[in-house]
Amino acid sequence: MTVPIPSHLQAGLLVLVALGLYALFGGADFGGGIWDLFASGPSAARQRGAIARAMGPVWEVNHVWLIFALVVAFTAFPSGFSTITVALFWPLHLALAGLILRGAAFALRPAPEAQVGGRRGAWSWVFGVASLLTPLLMGMTVGLLTPGEGGTPLVADRPLGSAGWWSPLSLGVGLLAAATSAYVAAVFMTLETGGELQALFRRRALASAGVVAGLTLMSLGSLAEAAPALADRLFAPPALPVTAGGLVAAVLAATSLWRRDYPAARVLAALQVAGMVGSFALARGPYVVYPTLSLQEAAAPAGVVSTVIGISLPGLALLVPALGLLWAVFKSPRTPAHPAEGTTARRPS
C-alpha cells in the first residue's frame, strides 16, 4: 500500500530541487565572475574574454531557478517565508543588491578584449566583487537558518542584527558557497577553452576542489558544535546515501580532472553539488528554520499548497524544454553568439 506524500513535503521538494539547480548553474555563473575578478598574468584579458563568451549567451538565465524557488516558497510557505525574509532582511537584501549590480556591471563594462593594457574599468571591478560577495551572503543565510544551540535564534518580527551574522557556521557555509561556485565554474570552463587556458582552468579547478574540501570539513566542525544532532544525521539514513554519493562524486571529479577527462569531471562536479545540497536538506529534516519551524507549521492551507503544486508542474514542463532549447541554440559552436576563442563575444540584448 502506497502512503501518499503530504502536499507540504511535495512543495518543499520542489523548492529544494529548484535551489539545487540554482546552486549548480547559478553557482557557475557566480564562479565565472569570481575568476574574472582574479584573472591575472599575461593571459588575463583572454581569461576574461573566455569567461564572457561562456556566460554571455545564457547570461543570467540560470537565475530563473531562484525565482521559481522564491515564488513556490512565498505561496506554499507564507509564514516561513515571512520569518526568513524579516529576520534575514539585511543579508538577503545585500545579496539581492549584489545580483542587480553584477548583472548591470556585466552589461555596462567594456568588453574584456577592449581593456587596454589589461586595465579594467570600474564596472569590471563591480562585476567581480559582486560575483564573490553574493554567493558568500547567500551561503551565510543558509548557515543562519541553522542557528543550533549556540547561535542567535531567528525572530519573526525583527531583523537579525549584524552581530548575529558572524557565527562560525554561517561564515563557513558562506565561504563554502563562494568556493563551490568558483570550483564549478573552473570545471565548466575546462570544456569552454582549449590549450593554455584549458590547462589554467584545470589547475584552478583542482586547487578550488581542495579549498572546497577544506571548507567542507571546517563547516562540518562548526555544525557539530552548533547542532550536533544535525551533524550526526548527515551520516545516518536517510541522508547517508546522498552524503556518501556526494563524497564519491567529489573524489571521482578530482580524479577526472587530474586525468584530463573534462566531460566526466563536469558531470561528477554536478553530482557533487547535488550531493552537498541534498544531504544537508535531508539531515535538516522537514524544517524551514532548524529546529524551531517545520515545513508543516510554515505551510499554507492544504488547498493552496496543492494548487501551487498543480500550477508548478505544468510550468516546469514548459520551462525545462525551453531552457534546453536555449542552451542548444546559443551554446552551439556553430552559433555566432558562441565564437571561437580569441574573437569578440556578442553582447546579450
Side-chain angles (χ1 to χ4, degrees), residues 32-39 48 51 120 124-125 127-129 132:
I34 292 171
W35 290 125
D36 182 284
L37 177 65
F38 293 113
R48 296 193 188 101
I51 292 167
R120 65 183 83 178
S124 290
W125 282 105
F127 172 66
V129 172
L132 175 64

Side-chain angles (χ1 to χ4, degrees), residues 73-198:
F74 173 76
T75 48
F77 305 103
S79 62
F81 190 89
S82 171
T83 298
I84 292 171
T85 51
V86 171
L88 301 180
F89 179 88
W90 287 112
L92 286 175
H93 279 75
L94 287 173
L96 179 61
L99 276 176
I100 296 169
L101 281 174
R102 73 182 295 276
F106 185 77
L108 295 175
R109 68 175 186 162
E113 293 82 355
Q115 295 176 10
V116 180
R119 300 174 65 180
R120 65 183 83 178
W123 282 116
S124 290
W125 282 105
V126 171
F127 172 66
V129 172
S131 296
L132 175 64
L133 295 182
T134 304
L136 175 70
L137 287 163
M138 289 181 171
M140 287 178 67
T141 61
V142 174
L144 292 170
L145 290 176
T146 311
E149 298 168 359
T152 305
L154 302 186
V155 180
D157 59 355
R158 188 171 67 244
L160 183 66
S162 58
W165 300 7
W166 305 105
S167 71
L169 179 59
S170 67
L171 189 58
V173 177
L175 292 172
L176 179 59
T180 303
S181 297
Y183 164 65
V184 171
V187 172
F188 281 21
M189 286 303 297
T190 59
L191 281 176
E192 300 282 349
T193 53
E196 177 191 351
L197 289 188
Q198 187 179 57

